Amino acid sequence: MNPPRALLAEDEPILSQMLQLLLAQLWPQCQLCSIVDNGNAAVEQALLLRPDMLFLDIKMPGRSGLEVVRDLLEEWPLDSAFPLLVFVTAYDEFAVPAFDQAAVDYVLKPVNATRLQQTVERLKLRLQARAAVQPQHDGELARVLAQLRDLVPAAPSMPAPERLQVIRAAVGNTIRMIRVADVLYFEATDKYINVVTREHSSLIRSSLRELLPQLDGGIFWQIHRSTVVNSLHIHSAHKDEAGKITLLLRESTEKLPVSRIYAHLFKQM
């Protein structure tokens, strides 16, 4: 069995050094194949090096730990086991209950050697179990996907905003009035959202995070980190041999990919 390899993503230098030191003491066989200080680098290095484990800070520059996992799930190759996850966090309000009974783990800051020892033992058992059986990557991914969905924080208890009925999009010197019901899908591009209808596409300066609370969640479904589709315009969902789902729309030739984390929306009733 090859030495286990881990990637560590922590933006606080002192905490990063402390975690490195403790891991070296508690688990000298473990190799830290990469140490980064932001979420973007964590995604890049993880896809490049494919470590066995990820130690991820929940809040760090670029992408949060949860966003790192979400984005890795979209791009992780199916022929490779998804890394075991350990979140390192100072915020236990949703991480602790979500992971308390789970195989993956969390470590609260400041890192405690006794608690980290438990994490190490848990990881060793998981790695041994993984090595003892034929890898079932699809099942591992499904488990992580289910856990990640549980980790998405519930919307704060606030009055529901009024549903958006019309979108105003500037096109040159003209303001185009777009009925939300006519929108086929929204596609986020940097600081803008591309609003696509059957007749045209229009850019508005907004983000999906700002837009989503104003849409009817029963009709508009997020299917990708950058795409929200009007479900009333979906013709069919096609799954290829690799398990990737693509949507066909009724009034468009566009094919919309569905990321793994949202694939459960298209299970047969």
Side-chain angles (χ1 to χ4, degrees):
M1 182 175 175
N2 295 325
R5 299 161 64 245
L7 180 151
L8 168 61
E10 169 61 68
D11 68 316
E12 299 181 56
I14 294 178
L15 293 179
S16 177
Q17 293 172 11
M18 182 180 298
L19 190 52
Q20 294 173 50
L21 178 62
L22 288 175
L23 279 174
Q25 293 174 349
L26 298 171
W27 200 358
Q29 297 81 12
C30 179
Q31 296 179 358
L32 283 175
C33 61
S34 183
I35 301 168
V36 298
D37 61 3
N38 65 82
N40 294 336
V43 172
E44 294 172 3
Q45 289 294 296
L47 289 173
L48 176 66
L49 301 173
R50 301 189 189 181
D52 302 299
M53 299 161 289
L54 300 177
F55 288 82
L56 298 173
D57 188 7
I58 287 283
K59 292 190 175 182
M60 55 184 166
R63 288 177 248 198
S64 72
L66 293 177
E67 290 171 335
V68 168
V69 177
R70 180 199 63 189
D71 294 346
L72 285 176
L73 284 167
E74 293 182 2
E75 301 183 45
W76 197 261
L78 291 175
D79 62 352
S80 181
F82 198 78
L84 302 179
L85 302 173
V86 176
F87 285 122
V88 183
T89 175
Y91 307 92
D92 64 354
E93 63 270 22
F94 61 88
V96 172
F99 281 91
D100 196 30
Q101 301 299 324
V104 289
D105 211 345
Y106 68 91
V107 179
L108 285 177
K109 297 178 181 177
V111 179
N112 178 288
T114 301
R115 181 63 182 85
L116 187 61
Q117 179 69 61
Q118 296 174 4
T119 299
V120 167
E121 295 304 322
R122 189 174 297 184
L123 288 169
K124 287 180 178 178
L125 289 175
R126 286 297 306 276
L127 290 173
Q128 291 171 1
R130 178 180 283 183
V133 300
Q134 184 69 22
Q136 298 179 1
H137 302 147
D138 289 349
E140 185 75 7
L141 282 173
R143 181 187 62 76
V144 177
L145 283 167
Q147 288 180 330
L148 185 61
R149 283 196 289 270
D150 290 341
L151 278 174
V152 175
S157 178
M158 298 174 62
E162 186 174 348
R163 295 298 183 201
L164 192 62
Q165 301 296 326
V166 176
I167 293 172
R168 291 165 292 183
V171 182
N173 295 326
T174 302
I175 301 297
R176 180 177 284 162
M177 307 299 285
I178 306 170
R179 293 200 321 150
V180 172
D182 294 334
V183 175
L184 301 181
Y185 61 92
F186 299 96
E187 186 175 38
T189 57
D190 197 12
K191 297 179 180 178
Y192 293 87
I193 294 176
N194 191 22
V195 183
V196 181
T197 68
R198 184 178 58 182
E199 294 83 12
H200 47 67
S201 298
S202 309
L203 288 177
I204 59 173
R205 188 176 178 84
S206 184
S207 66
L208 288 184
R209 180 172 298 181
E210 295 169 336
L211 179 66
L212 276 170
Q214 304 177 67
L215 301 176
D216 184 342
I219 294 177
F220 287 92
W221 299 354
Q222 184 163 14
I223 58 169
H224 192 275
R225 65 182 177 185
S226 61
T227 312
V228 174
V229 66
N230 184 335
S231 61
L232 299 180
H233 291 282
I234 298 175
H235 175 271
S236 59
H238 174 72
K239 181 185 290 186
D240 65 17
E241 294 181 352
K244 294 184 177 179
I245 297 176
T246 302
L247 300 187
L248 300 180
L249 304 183
R250 300 183 192 285
E251 300 171 304
S252 172
T253 58
E254 289 294 322
K255 297 179 180 179
L256 304 180
V258 179
S259 67
R260 291 167 178 158
I261 194 170
Y262 301 109
H264 66 287
L265 295 172
F266 300 95
K267 286 185 177 178
Q268 185 178 10
M269 293 183 68

